[in-house]
Amino acid sequence: MNHHRDVPFRVLEHGYGFTQGKEPQQEPTHSGNKIIHGDNLEALKALLPEYEGKIKCIYIDPPYNTGNEGWVYNDNVNHPKIKKWLGQVVGKESEDLTRHDKWLCMMYPRLSLLHKLLAEDGVIFISIDDNEQAGLKLMLDEIFGSGNFVTNIMWQKIHSIKNDAKYLSVNHDFILLYAKNVSSIKINLLDRSEKMDSRYKNPDNDPRGVWQSGDLVANEIRRDGNFFIKGPTGKEFTVPSDKHWVYSKENLLKMIEENRIWFGKNGEAFPRKKRFLSEVQQGRTPDTWWTSDEVGHNQEAKREIKSLLDIDNQTFATPKPVRLLERILQIATLKDSIILDSFAGSGTTAHAVLNLNKQDGGNRKFILIEMEDYAETITAERVKRVMNGYGNTEGTGGSFDYYSLGQPLFIGDNQECLNEAVGIEKIRQYIWYSETRTAYNSPVEKNISPYYLGKKEDTAYYFIYEPNELTTLDFEMLSAITVKAGQYVVYADNCLLPKEFMLQNHIVFKKIPRDITRF
């Protein structure tokens, strides 16, 4: 449950930048789009300094733990029972009695970090089937809070019934939806379909436009529901004794006067209410049953991968179609949202982000994490082709940066030493985040100390560090503290200032590397 705290913090090493139509370049594109190759637990931790609390939408498609996937438990947890699992392929139920334990232990620390990365108004969607759906929901209730459960979506993943099924043909997967804070989220409406709008007609050429008729009678008895009304020809209408009008007589007469009641073309049909399309909600509330006609199915996803990459479909046995991810993004994101997928697979999430940006002019950003060796040859390659265009499909445009997991920030048996090989700027980013829990921006002020990190909430932070020598906070070094603040947090190797002086001047000394927070 606390394994994510023990995972070493590794820096992200930039591999190359890619921009539509250009060869990969060494310089970063600074596009905000990232593809990261490496273990997703370590990669998620590496994202914290820049992205904690900033991800609007997370989608993950983890191993379903069917017993046929061949996934391996590799999290190096310092516990004798769990150490026995390391490097072992997880087998079927009859072969591996700890199969569900391994899956839950693999998922728990990753979900803990995903929770940290999610924005206050963010949501997470997780694809799963019956092998782990029940256990996953209990785990999510514990990490996110049961009150932040939004719904369980059912997706029709198979278009037709499997007649060779052992018991029943399982045609659906689940997509569990949780919020960071359910009171802060907003689910977007979906566009109305042509079929929905086609139900609205205008047989009387009403200048207010097309309308659909609605019932004016309900089944419950009401005391004031037995009055009669007159139609345009003088015909009187009343309701049966076991029903009532849904409006009072006063309101109903007013609606007749405003031509909001339809008595049929001859004026003698039983009255119905006009409901104008211009007055209804301009969109439809998403439901929890997503059909293959609406959002695609597994076979559609396989065809998409085949058309893009021409690879063996066995690499991805149950891929997700782009339309499914587009639906998720449509209801859960804004045009400038950051979307994260830490089980990236073939890169469908990035494909959907790029498609949606092209459709609505958005500037959504994607972050993909993939641990398998095909992160570059399949995941990144697919994104390149989507940006450049493939077959008869026009390119979406765009850029991304490709990263791998670099060296750990701390080294030694107990992570007691700073790893100078990662570079001073990476260390400064880490120190700032560990103190403020915000992303680091290099100070832009001129003529200030090179040791100055920044100022937050009237506290100024200094990291007095030199790779090849010991640094000391003394009276001479105080000349480097030039930015006025209510409090000063200063990192150095040693401190020679008197305690009384430090108290009087609100200086907090932290020893390198002992007092650097590990998270």
Side-chain angles (χ1 to χ4, degrees):
M1 292 169 65
N2 295 313
H3 178 48
H4 61 284
R5 297 175 185 168
D6 299 325
V7 174
F9 180 87
R10 295 182 180 275
V11 299
L12 293 177
E13 292 288 349
H14 185 259
Y16 62 84
F18 178 85
T19 301
Q20 178 197 19
K22 297 182 180 180
E23 290 296 317
Q25 57 194 41
Q26 290 186 341
E27 294 300 314
T29 67
H30 302 292
S31 63
N33 294 321
K34 292 180 171 67
I35 299 177
I36 304 168
H37 179 215
D39 183 278
N40 55 14
L41 182 57
E42 294 181 334
L44 288 171
K45 193 162 187 175
L47 290 173
L48 284 175
E50 186 175 358
Y51 291 101
E52 181 173 358
K54 293 185 178 180
I55 305 297
K56 176 71 171 178
C57 178
I58 297 170
Y59 171 77
I60 58 172
D61 183 17
Y64 281 11
N65 209 22
T66 61
N68 297 316
E69 296 156 315
W71 68 278
V72 177
Y73 185 91
N74 274 330
D75 291 355
N76 193 10
V77 180
N78 190 24
H79 189 284
K81 290 185 177 179
I82 295 181
K83 277 186 174 294
K84 294 179 180 177
W85 301 349
L86 293 178
Q88 293 183 7
V89 175
V90 181
K92 298 180 180 179
E93 193 82 40
S94 59
E95 301 168 353
D96 188 350
L97 299 180
T98 61
R99 178 163 69 97
H100 298 288
D101 295 335
K102 290 173 182 174
W103 192 87
L104 293 169
C105 284
M106 181 271 292
M107 288 297 295
Y108 199 104
R110 287 160 176 80
L111 290 170
S112 296
L113 290 176
L114 289 169
H115 182 264
K116 285 179 177 289
L117 289 163
L118 204 59
E120 192 69 10
D121 62 348
V123 289
I124 181 171
F125 295 79
I126 306 177
S127 287
I128 203 69
D129 72 359
D130 277 312
N131 283 283
E132 296 295 355
Q133 185 271 338
L136 174 61
K137 187 177 187 308
L138 291 173
M139 187 162 51
L140 289 167
D141 284 344
E142 186 170 305
I143 295 170
F144 284 78
S146 58
N148 289 315
F149 169 69
V150 179
T151 193
N152 190 0
I153 299 162
M154 295 178 69
W155 166 52
Q156 186 187 11
K157 65 178 179 180
I158 297 174
H159 193 67
S160 57
I161 293 174
K162 285 188 173 182
N163 285 321
D164 60 348
K166 186 176 182 180
Y167 301 113
L168 280 74
S169 177
V170 179
N171 287 32
H172 71 276
D173 274 356
F174 301 103
I175 304 176
L176 286 171
L177 171 55
Y178 276 75
K180 180 73 170 278
N181 182 349
V182 73
S183 62
S184 299
I185 68 169
K186 180 181 182 297
I187 299 297
N188 302 324
L189 298 175
L190 294 169
D191 293 337
R192 294 177 59 83
S193 66
E194 291 183 9
K195 183 178 180 181
M196 294 171 69
D197 289 349
S198 67
R199 299 169 187 156
Y200 289 78
K201 310 293 183 182
N202 195 356
D204 60 345
N205 295 316
D206 195 305
R208 287 164 292 192
V210 294
W211 51 269
Q212 186 178 25
S213 67
D215 207 342
L216 285 171
V217 175
N219 291 326
E220 304 162 9
I221 297 175
R222 203 171 74 184
R223 290 181 181 178
D224 60 347
N226 293 321
F227 57 85
F228 68 85
I229 59 172
K230 286 185 179 182
T233 64
K235 183 177 180 178
E236 296 180 352
F237 298 92
T238 187
V239 294
S241 59
D242 62 340
K243 297 181 183 296
H244 71 86
W245 299 105
V246 294
Y247 297 100
S248 67
K249 186 172 185 178
E250 180 184 4
N251 286 340
L252 204 50
L253 291 175
K254 184 179 180 182
M255 292 171 70
I256 292 173
E257 183 182 344
E258 294 174 350
N259 190 25
R260 288 181 174 272
I261 303 298
W262 173 244
F263 291 92
K265 289 184 176 181
N266 60 7
E268 296 193 349
F270 194 85
R272 291 178 66 80
K273 174 189 175 182
K274 288 183 178 180
R275 190 181 185 203
F276 293 94
L277 178 59
S278 60
E279 297 174 350
V280 302
Q281 181 173 261
Q282 293 306 300
R284 57 190 174 100
T285 302
D287 59 22
T288 57
W289 170 238
W290 295 4
T291 68
S292 58
D293 289 336
E294 286 183 290
V295 298
H297 45 78
N298 283 150
Q299 289 304 314
E300 178 179 315
K302 288 182 179 181
R303 290 195 295 269
E304 288 169 350
I305 295 173
K306 184 77 172 174
S307 67
L308 270 159
L309 298 166
D310 195 25
I311 59 173
D312 184 358
N313 276 330
Q314 295 304 312
T315 306
F316 304 101
T318 56
K320 304 302 181 285
V322 175
R323 287 196 291 157
L324 175 67
L325 271 298
E326 287 179 355
R327 166 65 62 85
I328 287 172
L329 299 178
Q330 285 166 352
I331 68 175
T333 71
L334 303 174
K335 289 186 177 182
D336 60 350
S337 295
I338 303 173
I339 296 97
L340 169 63
D341 183 348
S342 56
F343 291 85
S346 69
T348 309
T349 298
H351 191 161
V353 169
L354 293 167
N355 277 1
L356 201 56
N357 281 345
K358 186 176 181 181
Q359 291 168 26
D360 65 11
N363 191 33
R364 298 170 187 83
K365 307 297 184 184
F366 61 80
I367 302 173
L368 305 186
I369 303 172
E370 179 51 55
M371 68 180 295
E372 298 294 342
D373 291 339
Y374 55 67
E376 214 284 315
T377 58
I378 293 179
T379 313
E381 182 61 29
R382 176 178 185 172
V383 177
K384 292 175 187 176
R385 296 187 184 187
V386 171
M387 289 179 174
N388 286 339
Y390 59 96
N392 296 320
T393 303
E394 184 181 8
T396 62
S399 304
F400 71 86
D401 287 289
Y402 187 85
Y403 295 85
S404 58
L405 281 172
Q407 297 186 46
L409 194 83
F410 298 98
I411 55 177
D413 293 339
N414 298 308
Q415 299 187 41
E416 71 275 11
C417 300
L418 274 176
N419 183 1
E420 296 179 351
V422 304
I424 184 64
E425 203 61 18
K426 297 285 188 184
I427 298 173
R428 287 168 63 88
Q429 291 171 10
Y430 183 95
I431 299 294
W432 174 261
Y433 170 76
S434 69
E435 288 284 352
T436 67
R437 285 301 189 265
T438 59
Y440 174 75
N441 292 308
S442 185
V444 295
E445 298 95 331
K446 295 181 179 179
N447 302 318
I448 59 171
S449 167
Y451 304 127
Y452 178 63
L453 294 176
K455 185 177 177 182
K456 187 173 188 295
E457 297 175 355
D458 206 27
T459 298
Y461 297 89
Y462 288 81
F463 183 57
I464 303 174
Y465 177 78
E466 296 292 343
N468 300 313
E469 60 184 79
L470 293 176
T471 59
T472 301
L473 177 58
D474 53 18
F475 286 110
E476 183 180 353
M477 185 59 76
L478 285 178
S479 62
I481 300 178
T482 57
V483 177
K484 291 185 178 181
Q487 178 178 258
Y488 306 88
V489 174
V490 183
Y491 285 82
D493 293 307
N494 298 298
C495 179
L496 296 180
L497 294 177
K499 289 183 179 179
E500 296 79 7
F501 177 86
M502 294 174 67
L503 285 171
Q504 290 173 2
N505 291 278
H506 310 292
I507 299 172
V508 177
F509 167 71
K510 294 195 174 184
K511 184 176 177 60
I512 301 172
R514 182 194 65 197
D515 296 330
I516 298 176
T517 302
R518 274 64 160 174
F519 57 82

